[in-house]
Amino acid sequence: MNTRNIPHPTDASIILTYRCPMKCKMCNIWFNPTKKEEEIKASDLRTLPRLKFINLTGGEPFVRDDLAEIVEECYKHTDRIVISTSGWFEEKVIALAEKYPQIGIRISIEDLSCKNDELRGHAGGFDKGLRTLLALKQMGLKDIGFGCTVSNNNSRDMLSLYQLSKSLGMEFATAAFHNSYYFHKDDNVITNKDEVCRNFEQLIAWQLQENHPKSWFRAWFNMGLINYIEGGRRMLPCEAGSANFFIDPFGDVYPCNGLEEKYWQKSMGNIHQTPDFMEIWQSARAEEVRAMVRKCPKNCWMVGTASPVMHKYVKYPLKWALRNKLRSMRGKPACLDKKMVRRRPGSGARRPEAADVTMERSATADIAKTIGIILVVIGHYNPADAPEWYHLANRFIYAFHMPLFMFASGYIYAMTGNSQNKGGGNFILKKFKRLMIPYFSTSVVIISIKLLTQQGMSVENPVTAASYIKMFYLPEAGYFLWFIWALWLIFLLISMIKTKTGRTVLFAASLLTGFLPVDWPEIFCINKAVAMLKYFMLGVFLINWPRWLDSAKKIPGMIPVCALPVLFACTLLVRNDILTGLMGYILPFAGIHTICVISARIKSLKHITQKLLVVSASSYTSICSTPHSKDRQSLVQQVPLLANGNDPLYFSVGAAAVIGAGIFFRSSCTGISYNVIVC
């Protein structure tokens, strides 16, 4: 099995227990309690991968005496944990919040006081839950709020709970009746659909009136609940078992908590039988479960499986949220256009699966990176007596070839799952071996050669013995090595910013740096890293838009392609400094888009694609420079047949031969590749 194409999970829900003091009408967990000694422990979770989010739920998680140990272990695997609780164990909740003030708490309150206690089967449940929330609020916890499951009985009071949560400055999460193994229920049915849906519509209208964008996305989620209650198809594909997973109290790993035996119920494996979680995740059995998910007849709309795909396919809720926020500001009702992601023609899949999308991304990005490598090689062959058209073409290439390379690096970084690992110690060590060890070894070789030869011949960038020290903070061997330093610094930076929001902010900030009147220091090539960061982050950002290349098939998407030569021509002809700077800023992005469009077209030519991917395998290799005379810029000029730059034919043949040799050597060597065209 090719594990490279198995998507990395982002979200997890861990069902810690089926023990619960409540006796909810919509859930029979309390009727089927687990035994304390059977429940998973903190040590069972030590091999979990790096995740964006973990929900700890039950039953009632706070019946666990070792909950703090479990939370501590989970924080080794994620930065955000939310615990779903009844709030009954007030003192335990407060004690845990004091120890982990960044924890999220959602207290299930289904209705106002008496009705809530009736639905949850325990007198005093509303009072305790609300008192616990108020205590957490007073403590200064930020991520706290209500969780309300809507049924036949409480949709009207759901609106009152929303207003209460808003007045208290708390979160308000919603769910609806579901049946599953998890709830131990198969008879939950909403019969007064019209009433419930009307109340959800009112909730949506209020959420769109808020100033917080998160509430607008919740409005879209609630529209999905209306769609579910009305019996419609899911508005986004279900990627349970690919984007997220559930672990039950017995250690079984399930794709979701909506499974029913009458349809199907199969675990991906058990963490007791297979302690290494990733072995379960990458197993043949897990692939069988994912195949069953793709054919699942249920159209559940639960936050555990809806939230991950809302983040992945964010453009759908984003477009709806922005459009309807504007409608709300104009006093118009929301458009409840409950559109689902359509099936591809001739395909039984609702949407290309994550693995398929990953393969497509990989091929396109690798081809783009290959083109970037080829352009780098061409750009470094620029003899002084080359024809004018070649110098012009070289300037055109230099406008975007390194931004393209950085973009492809960021895109592949996000695509391969490195971004999910959040830049841990292993990631940093791997990148150091990949980038800096070849850089240091190359620098030592080049400095040594220059020291031995510069007395007898003229070399570019002469060195001294001190260069062996300077190479640790400057590309002393040759400034052409700056891109390694820049890439290394970018990897260090992004490894420290672990959230999607943080990386979005970083991308936005990187776009602004080009307009700041700041002279960034040259030490460690910080100036180059700052200049290249926006292109790397563009690649990271676009990984969340699986179909962004499809825009090239449309007229708006073709505008950057057509604009590329026009922009370049303007940079040559326009004499206004401001306009020239602005066009120079836009030009690399247009070049990146154009090359990606070309790469997507090449991808369909399988034979050519295979050859190009061979070249792409040499990513992050160094272009090594040997001593050279100032008046002899390349080896090719030492060959009479190829030295005649005045003859276009001679020059073209010679240039093609040398460039081809450079590409060959670059793609056939590992670690450090020696480019023969720069000497």
Side-chain angles (χ1 to χ4, degrees):
M1 182 186 303
N2 186 2
T3 59
R4 181 183 177 188
N5 295 325
I6 297 175
H8 190 97
T10 60
D11 295 45
S13 294
I14 303 174
I15 308 168
L16 297 178
T17 181
Y18 286 152
R19 292 179 286 154
C20 187
M22 301 295 164
K23 298 180 180 179
C24 299
K25 290 185 177 182
M26 63 282 193
C27 173
N28 280 343
I29 282 180
W30 60 274
F31 198 69
N32 299 271
T34 46
K35 297 178 180 178
K36 184 177 180 180
E37 61 272 13
E38 295 176 336
E39 297 167 348
I40 55 175
K41 299 176 177 58
S43 58
D44 297 321
L45 308 175
R46 64 183 182 276
T47 65
L48 288 180
R50 189 71 190 177
L51 299 162
K52 293 181 178 179
F53 172 72
I54 293 178
N55 174 228
L56 299 178
T57 185
E60 171 54 70
F62 284 92
V63 302
R64 297 284 301 258
D65 296 328
D66 60 344
L67 181 58
E69 298 175 27
I70 294 171
V71 170
E72 183 177 357
E73 178 61 41
C74 287
Y75 269 125
K76 297 176 183 178
H77 306 278
T78 188
D79 295 316
R80 184 167 185 249
I81 297 173
V82 172
I83 301 179
S84 302
T85 175
S86 65
W88 185 258
F89 299 99
E90 182 180 355
E91 293 181 358
K92 289 185 176 181
V93 176
I94 292 172
L96 188 73
E98 288 175 343
K99 187 174 183 179
Y100 301 101
Q102 73 274 34
I103 198 86
I105 301 291
R106 295 292 181 273
I107 292 183
S108 297
I109 296 179
E110 315 305 341
D111 214 313
L112 300 179
S113 182
C114 294
K115 195 60 173 273
N116 175 81
D117 295 352
E118 179 187 342
L119 290 173
R120 296 189 67 80
H122 207 309
F126 177 87
D127 294 341
K128 274 208 170 186
L130 183 58
R131 187 166 58 243
T132 302
L133 277 173
L134 293 174
L136 295 173
K137 179 74 172 180
Q138 189 174 7
M139 290 170 58
L141 257 72
K142 304 296 184 183
D143 193 3
I144 57 174
F146 297 76
C148 178
T149 300
V150 177
S151 62
N152 289 337
N153 306 298
N154 65 341
S155 68
R156 183 177 179 87
D157 288 339
M158 167 191 68
L159 301 177
S160 300
L161 287 174
Y162 165 77
Q163 294 292 356
L164 177 61
S165 69
K166 185 180 179 183
S167 66
L168 295 173
M170 297 180 183
E171 306 284 345
F172 186 73
T174 51
F177 258 174
H178 279 77
N179 297 303
S180 74
Y181 79 92
Y182 173 55
F183 301 111
H184 302 274
K185 291 281 286 186
D186 60 5
D187 59 352
N188 282 331
V189 179
I190 293 177
T191 54
N192 57 338
K193 296 181 180 180
D194 292 341
E195 178 186 351
V196 172
C197 290
R198 281 197 305 271
N199 289 322
F200 266 117
E201 289 175 14
Q202 179 61 69
L203 177 61
I204 290 170
W206 285 346
Q207 287 175 323
L208 287 171
Q209 291 173 6
E210 294 187 44
N211 295 324
H212 201 302
K214 190 175 182 179
S215 297
W216 312 343
F217 283 89
R218 284 207 174 111
W220 191 88
F221 174 81
N222 287 327
M223 185 176 69
L225 286 176
I226 295 176
N227 179 62
Y228 164 74
I229 293 167
E230 292 177 341
R233 295 289 303 275
R234 282 180 62 108
M235 298 190 304
L236 289 178
C238 180
E239 296 190 357
S242 298
N244 66 280
F245 60 87
F246 279 72
I247 301 179
D248 78 356
F250 308 106
D252 278 310
V253 181
Y254 287 106
C256 72
N257 62 337
L259 303 177
E260 295 182 70
E261 288 188 0
K262 67 178 180 181
Y263 296 113
W264 67 280
Q265 182 184 345
K266 185 175 183 178
S267 79
M268 305 169 82
N270 189 286
I271 58 178
H272 296 307
Q273 299 170 358
T274 311
D276 187 347
F277 178 85
M278 292 308 296
E279 186 176 339
I280 296 174
W281 190 254
Q282 297 170 351
S283 67
R285 184 174 177 180
E287 283 298 286
E288 292 176 10
V289 171
R290 293 186 186 104
M292 297 173 76
V293 169
R294 291 192 284 271
K295 299 177 181 179
C296 184
K298 298 191 69 175
N299 288 292
C300 307
W301 193 250
M302 299 180 178
V303 68
T305 52
S307 178
V309 291
M310 283 179 64
H311 286 91
K312 182 175 180 179
Y313 304 109
V314 67
K315 69 177 181 181
Y316 296 104
L318 178 61
K319 287 180 180 178
W320 182 91
L322 293 176
R323 184 171 67 251
N324 284 281
K325 175 61 180 177
L326 292 174
R327 289 180 61 87
S328 176
M329 293 171 66
R330 298 197 304 268
K332 295 184 177 182
C335 288
L336 301 183
D337 47 349
K338 301 178 287 292
K339 297 178 180 178
M340 58 171 286
V341 176
R342 300 292 179 183
R343 299 185 180 203
R344 292 178 296 166
S347 171
R350 295 175 185 153
R351 190 171 182 115
E353 295 301 313
D356 299 330
V357 175
T358 298
M359 292 173 65
E360 180 180 346
R361 292 173 182 171
S362 178
T364 302
D366 279 339
I367 293 170
K369 186 171 66 175
T370 296
I371 296 174
I373 291 170
I374 293 172
L375 293 178
V376 169
V377 174
I378 296 173
H380 280 80
Y381 176 62
N382 194 24
D385 61 346
E388 187 60 30
W389 63 265
Y390 188 85
H391 288 301
L392 186 64
N394 200 270
R395 288 183 62 181
F396 181 72
I397 290 170
Y398 259 80
F400 62 85
H401 78 288
M402 284 309 300
L404 171 66
F405 195 84
M406 289 292 177
F407 163 82
S409 299
Y411 195 80
I412 293 171
Y413 161 79
M415 179 272 298
T416 56
N418 285 322
S419 63
Q420 305 294 345
N421 295 330
K422 305 283 186 168
N426 291 335
F427 169 79
I428 297 300
L429 181 60
K430 176 184 175 183
K431 289 303 176 184
F432 186 86
K433 292 179 178 178
R434 183 80 164 158
L435 293 171
M436 301 313 294
I437 290 181
Y439 162 80
F440 290 128
S441 59
T442 301
S443 297
V444 169
V445 171
I446 295 175
I447 292 172
S448 298
I449 294 175
K450 286 187 175 183
L451 284 174
L452 292 172
T453 59
Q454 64 186 8
Q455 300 300 321
M457 60 182 295
S458 178
V459 303
E460 187 177 17
N461 300 320
V463 297
T464 64
S467 297
Y468 288 114
I469 304 299
K470 291 181 179 179
M471 72 177 186
F472 288 99
Y473 57 89
L474 285 171
E476 188 72 2
Y479 198 67
F480 60 89
L481 292 175
W482 67 263
F483 80 93
I484 298 181
W485 268 116
L487 199 57
W488 169 242
L489 292 180
I490 290 172
F491 279 131
L492 285 178
L493 176 62
I494 200 170
S495 70
M496 294 184 285
I497 300 176
K498 301 180 178 183
T499 65
K500 184 178 179 181
T501 301
R503 292 180 174 181
T504 302
V505 172
L506 178 61
F507 179 40
S510 69
L511 292 172
L512 297 175
T513 55
F515 300 98
L516 298 177
V518 179
D519 292 326
W520 301 97
E522 294 184 1
I523 188 171
F524 303 116
C525 296
I526 292 175
N527 56 337
K528 290 293 187 180
V530 172
M532 293 292 123
L533 179 61
K534 54 182 171 288
Y535 309 117
F536 185 97
M537 293 307 301
L538 176 65
V540 174
F541 185 78
L542 285 181
I543 204 70
N544 297 312
W545 300 78
R547 294 298 176 195
W548 64 275
L549 275 174
D550 289 349
S551 65
K553 300 175 182 178
K554 305 174 182 178
I555 293 179
M558 291 301 296
I559 292 176
V561 178
C562 300
L564 181 60
V566 177
L567 284 170
F568 179 71
C570 289
T571 59
L572 300 177
L573 300 175
V574 175
R575 295 291 181 256
N576 184 285
D577 291 340
I578 296 177
L579 288 177
T580 301
L582 183 60
M583 289 182 289
Y585 185 88
I586 299 173
L587 188 59
F589 292 100
I592 290 170
H593 181 86
T594 299
I595 298 301
C596 287
V597 172
I598 294 172
S599 301
R601 299 293 184 267
I602 294 175
K603 181 173 66 69
S604 61
L605 307 174
K606 295 183 179 180
H607 182 71
I608 297 177
T609 301
Q610 292 172 358
K611 298 297 184 183
L612 287 174
L613 293 181
V614 171
V615 179
S616 181
S618 65
S619 63
Y620 310 141
T621 56
S622 304
I623 303 174
C624 298
S625 177
T626 58
H628 61 280
S629 173
K630 292 181 179 180
D631 60 342
R632 285 187 278 180
Q633 295 295 312
S634 68
L635 285 176
V636 69
Q637 295 173 295
Q638 301 180 33
V639 184
L641 177 66
L642 306 179
N644 189 355
N646 295 321
D647 190 309
L649 178 61
Y650 276 44
F651 178 83
S652 299
V653 172
V658 174
I659 291 169
I663 295 169
F664 174 80
F665 280 98
R666 187 171 178 84
S667 61
S668 57
C669 299
T670 58
I672 302 172
S673 72
Y674 293 87
N675 190 333
V676 300
I677 66 172
V678 180
C679 40

